[in-house]
Amino acid sequence: MEADWNELHRIIVPPPDITSEPTPATTVAFDTQQELLWVGNEYGRITSFYGSELRRYTSFWAHPSQPRGDGEVKQVLFHDRGVVSVAPTSVHLSSRKGLTQWHIATKAMKNLSCMSYTGKGNAFVVVAGCQNLMLKIDIERGRIVEEIPTEYEYTMMKYSRYICAATITGSVNILDPDTLRIIKTLETPNSRICDMDARNNYLVTCGWVTRQQGTPMLASLANVYDLRTMMQLTPIPFAAGAAHVQMHPRMSTTCIIASHHGQLQVVDLMNSNTVNLRQANISSGFMSGLVLAPSGEAFALSDTSGSIHLWGSPLKVAFAEISNPIEFADPQESYPVIAVDDDVPLSTIGMPYYREQLLSAWTSTQLYEVGNPPAKIDPLILSDLRPSDIGSCARNPKKIRRNQAIKTRVVEIEDPSLAAPKFLSEKAREPENNQSPERRISDIQEAMVNAALNGSTKADVPIMYRNVEIKYSKFGVDDFDFEYYNKTQFSGLETHIANSYTNSLLQLLKFTPLVRNVALHHTATTCLYDTCLLCEMGFLFDMMEKAEGQSCQATNFLKTFSSIPEASNMGLLEENSHHTPLTAMLQAACRFLLEHSALDYRKVSPNTPEFNQILKISIERATQTRGWCDKCRRYQQLATRKSVRGVPDVLMINAAVSTAESKQYWAKPGWLPSEIGVIIENGKCFCFEGEDLRLHVERGMHDVKVYELVGIVADINSGEHQKSHLVSLINTSITDHGSGLRDNWHLFNDFLVRKVSKTDALHFAPSWKMPAVLAFQVVNGRHAVDDSWKDALDPNLLYIEYSINNRPPQNCQLLNPATEAPVAGSYVAIDTEFVALQQEEIEIKADGDREIVRPTRLGLARVSVLRGSGVDEGLPFINDYITITEPIVDYLTKWSGVQEGDLNSLHSSHNLVPLKVAYKKLWLLLNLGCIFIGHGLPKDFRTINIHVPKSQVLDTVDLFYIRARQRKLSLRFLAWYLLKEDIQQETHDSIEDARTALRLWRKFEEFRDAGVVDAMVEEVYREGKKWGYKPPGEAIGTAMMGRRERGRSTEASLGVPGFDAGRETPEILRGGSGPGTPVAKPRVVERRVGATTGEWESPAK
């Protein structure tokens, strides 16, 4: 405390109403972020005062004081979102302007009195009091996350290295901030603590002691503790009786001690002989509180008469150490008085022009329906009406339950055409002669345009730009009709994967030819790095091109992206975003992806130009840093400007749209040019557009590099009830040279893809659509799609043994590159096994309906590929187990054959490979033109995250399928009936399943050569219906036991035991009637995929 410190200002705490007397303050606190002093009273009202003159800023009622009178404000803490206050029965968070953020009042809150943050991040606060529970509250979400039982009753809390909690008996418990467990209990000589403070490494307390007569009195010593050693230091004497104590925020060993009568003593904890005494003018009553400002330049006193005293230096007073500006109400503007009479023309009265949305534009949440429209009569009832004695009657369609009321308001607003598309399983059950037209996405747009939106402020957002969601049936995501949202030749990306906010950026990069070429050429090399994002981009781009409009998913790319530690540290993962705007996340992800891809490119091609020379942002900008100045002999701000020596062929530009002024620039039609020109001279950059660009190109005096706009990623704000999301708008004609169009713009809204006009694509609106990332490419790069990477494929990975645990593949013989090199048309049989990485999430509604929110997430665990022709037909050449770093929640051993430990490199007896190696082997076979044979392959390919064209797939599910029967047959049943083999007895084996599918295809070829395919398939379905589409396992098991013991298992040897067995012609070709009658009851095998009953069944393996 300096010599010129004195009382600067004094105010009276505002009374609860105009008829009441001033009320004393129950708590006083300085704001840590703004120049505000906050005061709470016994009626639950919190008031703030601004500056050294203590002018009133805000006042609001935070805690109800009626009817029990328990609204007294006990303590106030400060957060980025506002002010947290605690009363005996509630906890409240309001903004500094007084708007309520959340309010919590539960039965567990009986007599709260104190609170403290649990760490420096201020994400959680723990509240306690004279009760047997402590409550941990998430400030962002405004809810209780943990209840901690306690046997102590706490009166106050302070946070330093630990949470120091004073008990009602005079002791102080030191609590761990993470677990809230007691580390140490400090016993003080006080019977009750009246004040304490903890800062840096020290704790200072003061309180009451009991006289011999039994009456309490203030102790004449302030107790000091070292929180590092948990030991008591020399106490500080204070003869007047220590009632209040505060540690100085800047001087770590200095504190202020005060008495009830206003005597102040500034003392050093390490040298109690150094004392500075002052006397506060407490005219009436007693001093009830002392609080020191975070800056250390002021402190405030409160007394029982309702006054607040502000002390400090008249020359400099600041409350917060680093103060943020305070937003005040706009001053009321005075307008000139204009006489409205016949002599004043109306043209002199100006009309207002509004750039922002008016307050009168009420949101949908502020509107309330009045009345209830009558329910509409069901069309089925109207079509079945028959006249009767009184009116008409019809049969009850029984669509609702008895006494069930219909929300007629919702029925009236919602339009049937806005419903989601039918599931594929629902369409499969429809008769083939169904004449009802299928809904189209264009019909939804027309219905939305004509629908009454009842005051929605986002009515100007076209439906194509709004959020799209995947609905799940009991068959998972495979049953969703993605084609309903996309009728174009360009593939969309699905959204049910974590971090899919990058979908729009991936679309933009894919349609930039130079970026696409680099990614695919790099993928075709021998790169086997697990964290190579450039390879994963190449895999994804190739899959999207082969899909030709079918929906794709970036599972492997996002899994690799999420596994990179830098991405998590930079807050690029949704789980670590902490409410970061999507635009900022995407711009940071764009920079990270370009930099990481450049590193990946140099790992394999060190002698070629760097990838960041193609993708880096070429902008001339100045930065400021602090550096040492030899002339001034102190640190100064140094300005650094980068000199531009060249520009790349692709410009990825982050659009920093954050202010209202910048939003108005983008809202101006035609502000974003389709072409820009860049000239680099003497390290300086010059940009041109429009007529200036045309003139520079015609003159030819400078080397002008002309860029054209490839596309943009836009941030879409769909409305109050939908979160912000990202879309991409891309000129696909730059990549698609076959269209013949100069401009061919498409909207990519995840899996919704639709053609839009150039005007719509480049139109921006501050209320709902703003750009995030722009992509420009040199004009001579148009149509520069390079597919020569297919001729440079390196297939050597198929001919070598690769294992991370040094174990050779079992039951597997590698291909001979001289005689068995895969070529276009080569047949291979494939089967895969999976494990569960995340269980499905189910939401149970109030009416009991179950809705799948997120399906089970599977991970590839084993892949087996067999020769499909030649001398060694049926012999595996790939039998890899895949190492998985994520936690496995279920090995699905009954259906996968994979057991715990099989995927652990320390204990597994199988050869383990990374996912990328297994994936690249399949990718090489795909691009070499091999034809894949298997059973139920679409689900396998989807989980692997690879797209195989239909021309390269032979699926035995479809070969033996009659659409009218609406049931697909399992591999086990087909093997039992057609091959006379009983497979999958105890578990599944991918080699056995792939070999069985290969033999079924050969059997189908025999039927086709004999011209009896249709008759044979009908016979299979008749026999399947007889046995419930399950093989009679017990009877067949007894008959086949000998053959299984003679080497059926694929783990026995490299041979193919019994591969030629079971090729005898079925009964239908010999004129017989099929298999004989079994002697045992059919055995039903429970399946995880598909349904065991009903009309629809997913392909079972």
Side-chain angles (χ1 to χ4, degrees):
M1 184 184 300
E2 299 178 5
D4 61 344
W5 277 45
N6 209 334
E7 183 174 320
L8 301 178
H9 205 76
R10 182 185 301 191
I11 59 170
I12 300 296
V13 178
D17 53 64
I18 58 176
T19 62
S20 302
E21 294 292 331
T23 177
T26 57
T27 183
V28 181
F30 284 98
D31 202 314
T32 58
Q33 299 183 13
Q34 293 183 338
E35 296 295 302
L36 295 175
L37 175 66
W38 295 84
V39 178
N41 65 12
E42 59 183 328
Y43 296 99
R45 180 168 291 277
I46 298 177
T47 307
S48 63
F49 301 91
Y50 168 67
S52 60
E53 298 180 357
L54 297 183
R55 291 179 295 172
R56 290 189 65 175
Y57 179 62
T58 53
S59 181
F60 53 89
W61 192 33
H63 302 276
S65 59
Q66 299 294 336
R68 297 182 299 175
D70 51 4
E72 177 183 346
V73 182
K74 295 289 189 178
Q75 188 180 349
V76 173
L77 292 178
F78 302 99
H79 190 266
D80 293 340
R81 295 186 57 187
V83 181
V84 186
S85 59
V86 61
T89 58
S90 60
V91 182
H92 186 86
L93 173 65
S94 290
S95 68
R96 287 173 171 82
K97 298 179 183 179
L99 298 178
T100 298
Q101 305 298 310
W102 48 257
H103 184 89
I104 304 176
T106 66
K107 295 181 179 180
M109 298 178 179
K110 300 177 182 179
N111 191 7
L112 301 177
S113 58
C114 56
M115 60 181 171
S116 171
Y117 286 120
T118 59
K120 294 183 178 180
N122 296 350
F124 299 93
V125 65
V126 57
V127 294
C130 296
Q131 59 180 48
N132 58 0
L133 275 181
M134 293 193 298
L135 307 175
K136 188 176 182 180
I137 298 176
D138 187 335
I139 292 185
E140 292 293 336
R141 299 181 180 179
R143 64 183 184 185
I144 299 173
V145 296
E146 186 178 0
E147 294 184 355
I148 304 97
T150 177
E151 58 183 10
Y152 294 93
E153 297 182 358
Y154 296 112
T155 58
M156 64 184 66
M157 285 184 171
K158 298 292 182 179
Y159 175 79
S160 180
R161 297 166 57 93
Y162 307 98
I163 297 176
C164 303
T167 68
I168 198 172
T169 60
S171 61
V172 179
N173 287 340
I174 309 300
L175 306 181
D176 185 279
D178 297 325
T179 63
L180 298 180
R181 295 180 179 177
I182 298 176
I183 301 175
K184 177 78 172 179
T185 298
L186 303 177
E187 298 293 344
T188 69
N190 306 120
S191 59
R192 182 158 183 165
I193 293 177
C194 59
D195 198 6
M196 72 174 184
D197 196 12
R199 196 176 296 272
N200 299 319
N201 298 317
Y202 299 101
L203 169 68
V204 182
T205 67
C206 60
W208 300 87
V209 294
T210 305
R211 299 178 181 178
Q212 293 181 355
Q213 296 83 2
T215 58
M217 63 173 292
L218 287 172
S220 58
L221 293 175
N223 304 297
V224 183
Y225 300 89
D226 191 331
L227 295 179
R228 294 167 296 185
T229 61
M230 300 294 178
M231 300 293 291
Q232 184 174 3
L233 304 179
T234 304
I236 301 172
F238 189 69
H244 307 282
V245 62
Q246 283 285 292
M247 294 287 294
H248 199 282
R250 291 184 176 178
M251 295 178 283
S252 59
T253 61
T254 301
C255 73
I256 300 177
I257 305 175
S259 69
H260 272 331
H261 301 288
Q263 182 176 338
L264 304 174
Q265 175 178 308
V266 182
V267 62
D268 192 329
L269 300 180
M270 300 293 102
N271 185 10
S272 58
N273 296 325
T274 304
V275 176
N276 185 359
L277 293 176
R278 291 295 180 89
Q279 178 65 45
N281 184 14
I282 306 297
S283 57
S284 62
F286 296 93
M287 180 175 165
S288 60
L290 168 67
V291 60
L292 194 60
S295 64
E297 298 178 3
F299 64 84
L301 310 175
S302 61
D303 58 35
T304 55
S305 63
S307 298
I308 303 295
H309 310 253
L310 178 65
W311 276 61
S313 172
L315 301 179
K316 57 175 183 177
V317 175
F319 296 167
E321 189 172 3
I322 301 178
S323 180
N324 296 329
I326 296 180
E327 184 177 357
F328 293 96
D330 296 333
Q332 187 174 1
E333 299 181 7
S334 60
Y335 299 97
V337 178
I338 301 178
V340 182
D341 52 34
D342 295 339
D343 298 332
V344 178
L346 292 178
S347 59
T348 61
I349 304 175
M351 298 297 292
Y353 174 74
Y354 304 103
R355 290 189 177 185
E356 297 181 353
Q357 199 171 65
L358 299 179
L359 291 176
S360 58
W362 289 358
T363 63
S364 58
T365 58
Q366 295 173 308
L367 299 178
Y368 299 92
E369 305 290 354
V370 179
N372 198 27
K376 293 183 178 180
I377 302 177
D378 195 306
L380 294 178
I381 298 178
L382 295 176
S383 62
D384 195 31
L385 282 178
R386 298 187 304 273
S388 63
D389 296 338
I390 303 177
S392 301
C393 63
R395 289 180 297 179
N396 185 1
K398 297 183 179 180
K399 290 187 175 181
I400 61 175
R401 300 174 181 176
R402 179 177 297 179
N403 300 326
Q404 180 180 353
I406 302 177
K407 295 181 179 179
T408 55
R409 179 72 62 182
V410 177
V411 173
E412 180 180 334
I413 293 176
E414 293 182 354
D415 192 279
S417 61
L418 301 180
K422 293 182 179 179
F423 289 114
L424 298 178
S425 56
E426 294 177 339
K427 292 184 179 182
R429 289 195 291 266
E430 294 179 350
E432 295 184 1
N433 58 357
N434 184 15
Q435 301 298 325
S436 60
E438 183 181 358
R439 297 190 304 273
R440 298 172 300 170
I441 195 69
S442 56
D443 299 335
I444 291 184
Q445 187 178 24
E446 287 182 19
M448 180 60 81
V449 171
N450 298 326
L453 295 182
N454 291 333
S456 172
T457 60
K458 298 297 178 182
D460 53 349
V461 182
I463 187 174
M464 296 301 167
Y465 287 86
R466 301 189 180 186
N467 267 326
V468 288
E469 296 181 357
I470 300 176
K471 300 296 183 181
Y472 305 101
S473 71
K474 62 182 178 180
F475 303 111
V477 70
D478 296 330
D479 203 19
F480 187 75
D481 186 9
F482 290 101
E483 187 179 356
Y484 172 77
Y485 293 91
N486 184 8
K487 302 294 184 183
T488 70
Q489 60 178 331
F490 307 108
S491 297
L493 293 173
E494 300 173 14
T495 59
H496 65 284
I497 312 165
N499 303 308
S500 59
Y501 75 93
T502 57
N503 285 353
S504 53
L505 179 61
L506 294 173
Q507 291 280 15
L508 186 59
L509 294 175
K510 189 258 180 186
F511 283 96
T512 305
L514 299 183
V515 179
R516 175 255 184 205
N517 295 342
V518 171
L520 284 171
H521 276 281
H522 177 81
T523 306
T525 64
T526 58
C527 177
L528 294 178
Y529 292 101
D530 292 343
T531 59
C532 180
L533 289 178
L534 196 55
C535 276
E536 296 300 338
M537 272 201 295
F539 292 142
L540 178 62
F541 295 166
D542 181 54
M543 177 173 61
M544 295 171 66
E545 291 179 0
K546 287 182 169 62
E548 297 181 348
Q550 298 184 37
S551 180
C552 299
Q553 52 183 349
T555 306
N556 290 348
F557 173 85
L558 294 178
K559 183 182 296 184
T560 304
F561 176 73
S562 304
S563 65
I564 300 176
E566 292 88 339
S568 177
N569 297 336
M570 294 174 62
L572 303 182
L573 307 184
E574 291 176 341
E575 59 187 17
N576 301 328
S577 61
H578 301 302
H579 306 286
T580 304
L582 277 180
T583 299
M585 288 182 62
L586 185 78
Q587 293 171 352
C590 180
R591 288 191 292 267
F592 171 77
L593 185 57
L594 299 181
E595 294 172 358
H596 202 281
S597 298
L599 297 175
D600 294 337
Y601 190 75
R602 289 198 298 268
K603 289 179 181 178
V604 178
S605 306
N607 298 324
T608 56
E610 296 181 356
F611 187 65
N612 61 353
Q613 295 178 356
I614 301 174
L615 292 180
K616 73 174 183 180
I617 300 175
S618 182
I619 292 181
E620 192 176 43
R621 60 183 179 180
T623 58
Q624 288 188 346
T625 57
R626 288 185 61 84
W628 179 258
C629 177
D630 292 334
K631 184 177 181 180
C632 302
R633 305 301 298 173
R634 63 177 181 176
Y635 285 96
Q636 296 281 8
Q637 290 288 343
L638 301 180
T640 305
R641 180 177 297 275
K642 295 182 179 180
S643 297
V644 182
R645 300 300 178 186
V647 287
D649 292 340
V650 176
L651 297 179
M652 300 295 295
I653 303 174
N654 287 343
V657 185
S658 57
T659 63
E661 183 179 4
S662 61
K663 291 182 179 179
Q664 293 303 321
Y665 292 153
W666 289 98
K668 183 179 178 180
W671 190 76
L672 175 64
S674 300
E675 290 187 348
I676 60 174
V678 179
I679 299 177
I680 304 298
E681 285 188 356
N682 300 325
K684 295 184 179 180
C685 177
F686 304 92
C687 298
F688 304 93
E689 63 176 274
E691 188 66 19
D692 293 341
L693 174 61
R694 187 184 65 81
L695 292 175
H696 276 85
V697 173
E698 289 179 355
R699 293 171 183 170
M701 298 177 60
H702 302 278
D703 184 12
V704 184
K705 204 163 189 177
V706 183
Y707 295 84
E708 62 179 339
L709 181 64
V710 177
I712 60 177
V713 176
D715 185 9
I716 304 299
N717 183 10
S718 299
E720 296 85 355
H721 302 294
Q722 292 191 6
K723 63 180 180 179
S724 175
H725 66 286
L726 300 168
V727 303
S728 51
L729 296 134
I730 300 172
N731 185 5
T732 58
S733 62
I734 295 178
T735 302
D736 185 16
H737 55 79
S739 63
L741 301 175
R742 177 67 183 177
D743 293 308
N744 189 20
W745 288 84
H746 280 73
L747 163 70
F748 291 85
N749 186 2
D750 292 321
F751 52 83
L752 187 154
V753 183
R754 187 172 182 267
K755 186 175 181 179
V756 295
S757 66
K758 180 180 178 181
T759 304
D760 292 340
L762 302 185
H763 167 72
F764 301 99
S767 61
W768 64 274
K769 179 185 177 186
M770 279 287 109
V773 177
L774 311 175
F776 284 89
Q777 180 183 265
V778 290
V779 293
N780 55 13
R782 176 180 279 263
H783 307 325
V785 177
D786 185 6
D787 287 332
S788 61
W789 59 271
K790 297 181 181 179
D791 302 326
L793 284 176
D794 186 354
N796 288 329
L797 186 61
L798 299 173
Y799 311 132
I800 62 175
E801 291 184 0
Y802 190 100
S803 176
I804 64 174
N805 58 343
N806 298 322
R807 291 185 180 274
Q810 299 177 5
N811 310 310
C812 175
Q813 180 176 308
L814 296 176
L815 293 174
N816 187 342
T819 59
E820 297 180 301
V823 295
S826 298
Y827 292 105
V828 294
I830 183 174
D831 190 72
T832 57
E833 307 295 351
F834 305 97
V835 293
L837 304 179
Q838 183 180 358
Q839 298 289 7
E840 67 180 9
E841 299 177 13
I842 300 177
E843 181 180 71
I844 302 178
K845 300 182 179 179
D847 57 1
D849 291 342
R850 296 161 61 92
E851 180 179 353
I852 299 177
V853 178
R854 187 182 295 273
T856 301
R857 185 164 63 91
L858 302 178
L860 182 64
R862 182 186 180 187
V863 57
S864 300
V865 184
L866 286 62
R867 297 166 174 83
S869 59
V871 179
D872 294 327
E873 178 177 334
L875 183 64
F877 63 91
I878 295 177
N879 184 27
D880 292 336
Y881 285 76
I882 288 80
T883 179
I884 298 178
T885 58
E886 299 180 68
I888 300 175
V889 299
D890 192 348
Y891 283 87
L892 307 176
T893 304
K894 184 176 180 180
W895 298 274
S896 68
V898 180
Q899 299 181 1
E900 185 174 0
D902 286 351
L903 308 182
N904 189 324
S905 59
L906 299 177
H907 307 97
S908 178
S909 60
H910 310 283
N911 67 299
L912 292 175
V913 300
L915 175 63
K916 180 177 179 179
V917 173
Y919 185 94
K920 192 159 189 176
K921 289 181 181 180
L922 300 181
W923 185 76
L924 288 171
L925 294 174
L926 168 64
N927 285 282
L928 291 173
C930 294
I931 299 176
F932 293 87
I933 303 170
H935 191 85
L937 290 181
K939 185 175 181 63
D940 287 2
F941 291 150
R942 179 181 183 83
T943 309
I944 296 171
N945 196 24
I946 192 172
H947 181 85
V948 181
K950 294 182 179 179
S951 59
Q952 291 180 244
V953 177
L954 286 172
D955 198 332
T956 52
V957 164
D958 299 324
L959 297 181
F960 298 96
Y961 175 58
I962 300 177
R963 178 178 174 83
R965 298 297 182 93
Q966 300 178 5
R967 175 183 286 275
K968 294 185 177 181
L969 303 176
S970 67
L971 181 67
R972 185 184 179 199
F973 176 77
L974 291 174
W976 169 76
Y977 184 72
L978 295 176
L979 304 179
K980 303 298 182 291
E981 287 191 358
D982 197 9
I983 64 173
Q984 302 173 354
Q985 281 295 299
E986 297 178 357
T987 183
H988 285 221
D989 184 276
S990 56
I991 294 180
E992 179 188 56
D993 292 350
R995 184 177 295 137
T996 303
L998 177 62
R999 296 183 58 194
L1000 287 174
W1001 170 65
R1002 290 298 186 188
K1003 187 66 66 176
F1004 179 84
E1005 293 291 316
E1006 293 180 13
F1007 298 155
R1008 188 172 59 180
D1009 294 342
V1012 293
V1013 171
D1014 295 340
M1016 186 62 214
V1017 176
E1018 286 286 353
E1019 173 65 20
V1020 173
Y1021 270 92
R1022 283 196 301 269
E1023 194 67 22
K1025 186 175 182 181
K1026 177 180 178 182
W1027 301 109
Y1029 300 97
K1030 301 290 189 296
E1034 295 177 0
I1036 299 299
T1038 303
M1040 302 295 293
M1041 183 64 70
R1043 181 166 59 183
R1044 287 202 307 272
E1045 293 177 351
R1046 288 193 299 270
R1048 171 187 165 278
S1049 174
T1050 59
E1051 300 290 341
S1053 63
L1054 285 176
V1056 191
F1059 182 75
D1060 293 328
R1063 282 187 174 271
E1064 60 271 13
T1065 305
E1067 297 290 339
I1068 188 171
L1069 298 183
R1070 300 198 302 265
S1073 57
T1077 303
V1079 297
K1081 184 178 180 181
R1083 181 164 62 94
V1084 179
V1085 179
E1086 182 184 357
R1087 304 286 300 177
R1088 285 184 70 91
V1089 292
T1092 56
T1093 59
E1095 299 178 335
W1096 174 268
E1097 183 172 343
S1098 293
K1101 288 195 172 183

